[in-house]
């Protein structure tokens, strides 16, 4: 079998990462020659360490990558995710803002993360703007739907909240198996409480289920 050319190694690494084949991805990353270790290599390397949840190593690799590529929105966004996992919310939101500034095109994940930051900072109108931009890019993924549910519950829109929650429930197994399981449960409890006694929740509040969740 002929050796794999350098130009094909990184697409193979990406495929392994998408399939959750961490060991195979790392093996191929280790085989990439120095002359091919450009932006795509550092994106995949940083994503690998984030994916296997070695957050200490991932932070170091992301910081190294940002030294080399300080204008890359993909690395800034994932760096923000890592900082959020360490409960360093202020720094995380600053990283997401960098990602938003650096990107030539808006990334949906960045807009969702910025919306969640705005919710944490009680900037409801700004959160709504970011989420609208995310919805314009594509249908919201699970984390986007839960962000929207947080937002409409804060705004006191219980009927709209039920519609969004029904969409989430349609993919309940995914929600239960995701890293956002605690947030899903929190949202469920609050929605049921509001529907049980709407007189207690008839106006906007600073309620949030984001605390303790990852971005």
């Amino acid at each position: 079998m002929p050796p794999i050319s350098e130009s094909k190694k990184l697409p193979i690494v990406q495929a392994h990462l998408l399939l959750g084949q961490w060991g195979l991805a790392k093996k191929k990353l280790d085989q990439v020659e120095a002359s091919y270790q450009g932006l795509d290599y550092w994106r995949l390397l940083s994503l690998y360490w984030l994916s296997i949840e070695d957050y200490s190593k991932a932070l170091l690799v992301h910081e190294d990558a940002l030294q080399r590529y300080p204008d890359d929105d993909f690395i800034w966004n994932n760096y923000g995710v890592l900082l959020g996992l360490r409960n360093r919310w202020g720094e995380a939101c600053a990283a997401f803002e960098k990602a938003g500034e650096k990107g030539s095109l808006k990334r949906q994940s960045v807009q969702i993360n910025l919306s969640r930051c705005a919710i944490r900072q009680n900037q409801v109108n700004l959160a709504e703007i970011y989420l609208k931009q995310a919805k314009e890019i594509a249908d919201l993924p699970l984390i986007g739907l839960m962000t929207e549910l947080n937002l409409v519950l804060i705004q006191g829109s219980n009927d709209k909240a039920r519609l969004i929650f029904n969409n989430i429930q349609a993919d309940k197994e995914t929600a239960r198996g995701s890293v956002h399981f605690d947030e899903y449960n929190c949202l469920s409890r609050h929605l049921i409480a509001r529907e049980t006694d709407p007189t207690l929740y008839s106006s906007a509040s600073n309620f949030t289920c984001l605390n303790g969740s990852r971005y």
Side-chain angles (χ1 to χ4, degrees), residues 39-40 42-44 46-47 62 66 71-80 99 102-103 107 109-110:
L39 173 59
D40 288 341
W42 280 95
R43 281 182 170 186
L44 293 171
S46 58
L47 182 59
H62 277 76
L66 287 171
D71 295 326
D72 188 66
D73 60 327
F74 179 89
I75 298 173
W76 273 113
N77 187 50
N78 284 350
Y79 184 53
K102 302 294 185 181
R107 288 182 184 272
S109 58
V110 174

Side-chain angles (χ1 to χ4, degrees), residues 73 100 103-111 130 133-134 136-137:
D73 60 327
S104 56
L105 297 173
K106 291 187 185 299
R107 288 182 184 272
Q108 188 184 53
S109 58
V110 174
Q111 300 310 116
Y130 284 133
Q133 292 170 346
E136 289 170 352
I137 296 169

